[in-house]
Every structure is written in C-alpha cells, then in structure tokens.
Amino acid sequence: MLTNNKNVLKWVDEMVALTKPDQVVWIDGSEEQLNDLRAQAEASGEMLKLNQEKLPGCYLHRTAVNDVARVEGRTFICSRKEEDAGPTNNWMDPKEAYAKLGEIFEGSMKGRTMYVIPYCMGPIGSPFSKVGVEVTDSIYVVLNMDIMTRMGKAAFDQLGDESNDFVRGLHSKAELDDQKRYICHFPEDNTIWSVNSGYGGNVLLGKKCFALRIASYQGKQEGWMAEHMLILGLENPQGDVKYIAAAFPSACGKTNLAMLIPPEFYSKQGYKVWTVGDDIAWMRIGDDGRLWAINPENGFFGVAPGTNVKSNPNALESTKKGTIFTNVVHDLDNNTVWWEGLDKNPPKNALNWKGEKWDCEAGEKGAHPNSRFTAPAENCPCISSEFSNPQGVPISAIVFGGRRAKTAPLVYQSYDWEHGVFVGSIMASETTAAAAGAVGVVRRDPMAMLPFCGYHMGDYFQHWLEMGRKLGDKAPKIFNVNWFRTDDEGHFIWPGFGDNMRVLMWILDRCEGKADAVETPIGYEPKAEDINIEGLDIDLGTVKGLLEVDKDLWKEDAAGITEFYAKFGDKLPKELKDQLAALKERLDK
Ligand code: OXD
Ligand code: MN
C-alpha cells in the first residue's frame, strides 16, 4: 500500500465495492511501473509506440469516434442547492447524481484493473498545492496524468496520513456510451465522477474538473482564485522579470501567447519571454500583499492543428519526446505523426485520426480539429526557472481578451480593479467564418470561465471584487486585448503572434508608471506612438485605427451586456450594475 491515510483507504474501498475491478494497482509513479503500463497499452493497441529515434518516448492514441471533446451539455455541478450552481451551469441534485451515476458505475470495472492515481496539483511541497486521487480503468489516463501532474507516491507524502483534504475522482470508461456520459462535480464533497468518456478534458480529472471547477469553489471558500489563465514572465535586458496572467476563451491563442517568441527588435536587446503556464493559474495573496500565482499543472494538453515552427516553435519542440498524441494523423512510412497546419507535406501513406487509410488529396481532414498533444512542461525550451517555485510568481498585470472583429481595441486598461472585474465579466468572442452558422455572433465568456466556474457566476464576480478589496493598491493592473480586429475585407490588421509582445510592453510600462495613456469611454488606451511598431509592416495610422473606439458599436455591446447580466438576477453585484450604467453614461456623453 502506498499510503496509510485512512480517508484514502476507506474511499478507495468504497469505489472498489462499487465498480468491482478484478484487481487494483496503486500508481507509485516509478519509471518501472510506467514502462510496464506502456508495454501493456501497446500490447492491447490502446497506444501505439511511435518512431523512437525521431520521437523518443512518444505514443499515439485514438479515442472513440463519438468521444473527441469536452461535453459541456453533459457536465454538471451537483451542489446541494440548485441556486449555488447558477444560471450558467447544468445542475443535478447530488443525491440524484450519485444514484444515477452509481448505477452506471456499478460493476463497470469487472474484468478490468482499477488504477489508483495519487497526484499533486502544483509543485510538491508548495503551500499552494492540493492533492487529488483519481481511480480509473484507463491506462491512457494514468500515462496522461503522469505528464500533466506530479503523480505518484510524493503526492501521498504531501497529503500525509491524517488529512481528508484531497479531491476524490472516480473515472470509468464503462462502455463509452455517449447517452450515458456524465461529468459530475460535487464541490461540497470534493468529489468528481466521470463516466463513459475517454477524452482528456473529461477524464484527466486534475485539469478542468479539479483545477478549475472544484478549485474555483475552494478558492471562494478559502480566499484565493483558480483561473483559466496562462502565466508568462517577460524579462528585460537588465534581467528583471515581470509576470502577466491572461485569460482568453478557447481558440484565441493562449498557448501561443504563453510561449511567445519576441520579435527580433526586442530579442536583440536581450528581452526574453518565459512560460510558467498555458492554461490554469491558482492565485493567492502573498505575505507581501501582492497576488502570487502557480501553474497547478506539469504539462501541456495542447491543440495540435495549427501548431508549427512559425506559430509556436516552443510548443512544437515540447512534443519531441515523452509526448502522447491523440487523434492526429499517423504517418506509416516514418511511424511519426502529422496534423493540418504542421507543414505543407502531408504524408502520402497514412491513417487519419480514426485509423482509416487517409488520402491527403481527397479534401477530408486527417487530424481531428481537436486533436491534442500531451507534452511535459520540462520539454519546453522557454519554461520558466520559476515553474516549480513553491511560492509561485508575483503577478503585475492581468489581461483579458477575446476575438472581436470591430468592437474591442487592440488594448485598453481598466480604470481600477472594480472596473477591471467589469471588463473581465463582459469578455466575449465572435464566431468566425470557419465555423458553421452565423458569423460575428457574440458569445459572452466571463473571464473565459463560463464552462469552468464550479459555482454561481454572480458569486464568482463578488469573489473577484473581494479579492480586489484585500489586495488594495498592491492589486495587479487589469487590461483587455484584442488581436483579432479585421479590415473591411475581413483580414486581420494586427500581425499577432510574437508581435503581441509590443502590446505586453505597453502593459508592463503602465504597471511601472512609465507610459502615458489616453482616457476613453471604455478605459485607458495607449497613445498610438507608444505601441512600438519598429520592423513592422504597419504605420502609425493603422495603430490609431486599431485603438479606435466606435461608440455606436459599444452602445450595441452595452445592450448585449445588459441582456447577459439579466441572467444573474439578484446575484449580480451592485458594483457591476453600476459599472455598466457608468459605461452607458460615458458612451452617451
Ligand atoms: C482546453 C480548453 O482544453 O479550454 O484547455 O478547452
Ligand atoms: Mn483551457
């Protein structure tokens, strides 16, 4: 036995009695045990060993065809009171959920092995970190959790023999029946039950389920924040590093921003960017009164399509060893992998993500659009030296962003924390022409947490406001960015990618009181000449255009916000109601 913790032992016994596995294997995290599991997964066909010269330690996995993404419609917050889940979550009564899923779990591991995975979210030994235990019947889950978390005996050592403070995660692939697929969270019980899926976001319970949904609830109770944010460090030529946390809805380039390559203009002078995290930040107020963040994860679960040497060389490099690829193209001649947007040479002799013979010329995509790599953070060439610092890193700026063709300017700063919470709460992205349906439909996604907030979003806004009051004048400054403004032909105006650093530079200068700003109805904006465009193909006039605030569009937006806010009823903090009214007033002036 790996632990003497009676709470763990009792709970695992209960899960064994429910799911009835043939045997139980405790995951100690040793290379020997992991190698044994890799060999078993290879023998069963669950994982395919790739070319070990080109991709050492790398494997390919294919999910069931009906099981390729997070299923928000089947994801539930099972708080005792429906009101506590709020209007943006699906809710199920916990008694009903335990009974309903209990029936599905009953005997679901017969003939299978149950793996007991102890894992730590955050660096081992950090006072910010939290322990989880996931039991699962999937070797794929074990091997992914090994990459994404600090997994094994050290996690039990961190928990100790007496503590009951661990998140209980039960997962079974069961029959992969999408009609009986449920991802249920019981925030009041520190418990997650996930059944009938094998897709990462639904089954790597440390990630979205624990580190965001359960942790956001814990953060509210305990006075800290769990956010859907990347963390990056920007080092100046003197060697000082300032840290930024940034939230974006999916498909807005979070991983790319986290691993940004500075434009030559800056790199020549000695500026560098370091990655602390690409998806999740846990943030607390430190002894010095500032906001400190850790990345609770230990790897990247990134979207493969579109990742290439140009868009994100650091992410690509991270996938060269010890990586698990899911639902990408299998190049049979080289026994390697490929995906759309990797390069212009799709393999001729290949299988698509479903494992069928694939003809790259026939027009059908080879990799699933949500195909993924699970890569160890330590592989990343720009991983921060503070990645495993138990204290985390101090945050100077919080950045929100979305995909807006016209409304939002390239960058603006909130007047203060309270206004910043308002700016985060109205975050939105527009649907693009790439997706079916109407173009330009605005989807509100407050703080990019819409699918990940484990409690009532009105209470979540209130928590943000309270954190600001505690931080006082030590609070990070809050900004909003939009890399996605388009011209009349629909082309992006701002070059994006590495050049986003030019905007981050203004943001950090503002934090240090080194840059001026212009007051507009929506917040402070840079003077156009304060965005450095040296070496870029755009002129000052273009930057001015990117910073323009169209009052009519904003009035339309304010009407949309009013409608969105109405959902929250009495739970909408008065401060945000007042902020909206003040915005309308400024727009009318
Ligand atoms: C993710 C997501 O996978 O946000 O990170 O969906
Ligand atoms: Mn995410």
Side-chain angles (χ1 to χ4, degrees):
M1 214 60 75
L2 271 184
T3 178
N4 293 317
N5 184 302
K6 285 194 194 60
N7 304 304
V8 172
L9 295 175
K10 177 167 173 285
W11 172 72
V12 171
D13 278 349
E14 287 166 14
M15 296 305 103
V16 169
L18 175 63
T19 59
K20 303 185 175 54
D22 282 11
Q23 53 167 341
V24 178
V25 171
W26 291 70
I27 300 297
D28 60 19
S30 67
E31 241 350 84
E32 193 186 349
Q33 188 184 45
L34 291 168
N35 277 333
D36 193 45
L37 290 173
R38 288 179 189 118
Q40 281 183 48
E42 216 189 318
S44 71
E46 186 175 352
M47 305 248 284
L48 221 138
K49 196 177 200 166
L50 293 164
N51 183 327
Q52 294 300 291
E53 260 162 47
K54 293 192 163 133
L55 296 168
C58 293
Y59 289 81
L60 169 64
H61 170 81
R62 296 189 192 102
T63 64
V65 173
N66 73 0
D67 191 23
V68 293
R70 287 187 291 102
V71 279
E72 286 171 20
R74 307 197 70 92
T75 299
F76 293 83
I77 300 299
C78 307
S79 45
R80 265 167 239 143
K81 285 198 270 171
E82 179 168 6
E83 186 193 4
D84 291 340
T88 57
N89 283 311
N90 301 312
W91 176 81
M92 213 191 295
D93 183 297
K95 278 204 202 92
E96 185 194 330
Y98 283 129
K100 188 172 191 153
L101 273 68
E103 251 175 56
I104 305 172
F105 275 115
E106 173 69 43
S108 66
M109 295 194 196
K110 270 186 195 153
R112 299 181 186 177
T113 300
M114 172 190 278
Y115 303 97
V116 182
I117 310 172
Y119 63 95
C120 182
M121 298 312 287
I124 295 282
S126 163
F128 289 21
S129 294
K130 286 193 173 271
V131 170
V133 183
E134 175 167 357
V135 297
T136 177
D137 52 8
S138 160
I139 295 182
Y140 173 76
V141 167
V142 178
L143 297 176
N144 273 275
M145 288 294 280
D146 175 51
I147 299 170
M148 293 306 297
T149 73
R150 280 91 171 169
M151 180 187 86
K153 183 156 186 340
F156 275 145
D157 294 344
Q158 164 114 356
L159 182 66
D161 280 352
E162 304 298 328
S163 174
N164 197 22
D165 184 13
F166 66 98
V167 170
R168 296 145 164 79
L170 168 62
H171 165 249
S172 173
K173 291 181 286 188
E175 309 306 319
L176 296 179
D177 178 349
D178 54 5
Q179 297 306 303
K180 291 188 183 161
R181 185 170 295 157
Y182 291 99
I183 323 295
C184 286
H185 306 71
F186 305 86
E188 289 130 340
D189 302 344
N190 263 354
T191 295
I192 306 155
W193 281 16
S194 164
V195 70
N196 274 308
S197 175
Y199 169 74
N202 299 327
V203 301
L204 308 179
L205 300 185
K207 193 174 178 60
K208 302 298 188 183
C209 299
F210 176 176
L212 287 176
R213 297 196 190 97
I214 297 286
S216 60
Y217 173 80
Q218 293 175 331
K220 163 86 173 156
Q221 307 297 309
E222 298 164 10
W224 54 283
M225 309 165 91
E227 298 298 331
H228 192 200
M229 288 180 178
L230 65 91
I231 309 164
L232 68 80
L234 209 155
E235 181 177 336
N236 69 14
Q238 290 73 48
D240 293 333
V241 188
K242 295 275 186 273
Y243 295 91
I244 295 174
F248 296 84
S250 58
C252 289
K254 225 150 97 246
T255 304
N256 292 348
L257 185 63
M259 299 180 188
L260 177 153
I261 307 261
E264 204 180 311
F265 172 80
Y266 288 112
S267 56
K268 267 195 186 148
Q269 296 174 57
Y271 285 97
K272 297 188 179 102
V273 169
W274 302 107
T275 307
V276 182
D278 80 326
D279 196 40
I280 299 176
W282 284 2
M283 305 194 287
R284 291 174 197 253
I285 300 174
D287 293 339
D288 62 358
R290 289 190 292 171
L291 191 64
W292 290 72
I294 60 163
N295 170 9
E297 301 191 281
N298 202 24
F300 309 117
F301 184 61
V303 177
T307 305
N308 59 51
V309 273
K310 209 164 155 250
S311 68
N312 196 335
N314 289 316
L316 194 61
E317 188 56 32
S318 305
T319 67
K320 296 296 184 202
K321 57 182 184 203
T323 293
I324 299 172
F325 297 93
T326 302
N327 292 343
V328 297
V329 172
H330 188 200
D331 175 341
L332 294 170
D333 288 339
N334 296 298
N335 191 22
T336 53
V337 290
W338 190 86
W339 49 78
E340 277 70 23
L342 174 63
D343 55 39
K344 299 219 160 68
N345 310 306
K348 299 282 177 284
N349 179 23
L351 302 179
N352 69 10
W353 68 273
K354 297 179 201 163
E356 304 158 343
K357 194 83 185 95
W358 177 62
D359 175 2
C360 62
E361 275 160 26
E364 223 171 90
K365 289 207 157 92
H368 188 276
N370 192 36
S371 55
R372 298 273 175 157
F373 54 79
T374 316
E378 64 183 16
N379 286 359
C380 181
C382 60
I383 198 72
S384 164
S385 60
E386 306 310 297
F387 175 72
S388 286
N389 186 332
Q391 295 308 318
V393 295
I395 298 298
S396 298
I398 289 174
V399 176
F400 297 121
R403 185 184 279 273
R404 303 300 299 267
K406 300 283 175 220
T407 317
L410 180 61
V411 58
Y412 67 99
Q413 181 186 357
S414 70
Y415 301 119
D416 52 28
W417 180 276
E418 197 175 290
H419 179 231
V421 176
F422 172 72
V423 169
S425 79
I426 64 167
M427 256 175 75
S429 249
E430 282 154 15
T431 49
T432 62
V439 176
V441 175
V442 178
R443 291 228 173 87
R444 299 276 158 205
D445 185 356
M447 283 82 169
M449 283 289 278
L450 192 68
F452 304 121
C453 183
Y455 61 103
H456 196 299
M457 204 131 211
D459 291 334
Y460 169 80
F461 295 150
Q462 192 64 52
H463 181 47
W464 264 83
L465 293 166
E466 272 156 30
M467 289 296 291
R469 284 191 273 274
K470 286 188 202 155
L471 284 159
D473 60 7
K474 301 243 173 74
K477 305 279 187 274
I478 301 180
F479 298 80
N480 192 87
V481 298
N482 176 27
W483 318 132
F484 300 98
R485 271 226 190 172
T486 53
D487 61 21
D488 293 339
E489 278 91 53
H491 302 124
F492 294 124
I493 304 170
W494 180 248
F497 297 102
D499 289 310
N500 292 336
M501 165 130 171
R502 299 166 189 273
V503 174
L504 301 185
M505 292 295 288
W506 180 77
I507 286 176
L508 287 182
D509 281 350
R510 283 295 292 169
C511 294
E512 287 169 54
K514 287 200 241 162
D516 263 350
V518 189
E519 197 168 337
T520 79
I522 61 165
Y524 298 119
E525 283 202 345
K527 291 180 174 162
E529 56 271 28
D530 286 346
I531 299 292
N532 188 315
I533 48 171
E534 184 144 343
L536 278 188
D537 215 8
I538 60 177
D539 59 19
L540 202 62
T542 309
V543 179
K544 281 194 178 134
L546 283 165
L547 291 169
E548 221 157 39
V549 177
D550 182 326
K551 281 194 180 181
D552 290 333
L553 282 179
W554 272 92
K555 280 181 197 169
E556 259 174 55
D557 217 48
I561 298 164
T562 309
E563 202 179 300
F564 179 66
Y565 267 7
K567 272 192 183 190
F568 301 106
D570 290 349
K571 289 262 194 182
L572 184 77
K574 179 177 179 303
E575 291 86 340
L576 296 189
K577 237 180 278 176
D578 292 348
Q579 286 288 342
L580 178 57
L583 170 67
K584 286 179 177 168
E585 213 175 285
R586 290 192 300 269
L587 290 169
D588 282 335
K589 246 191 212 157

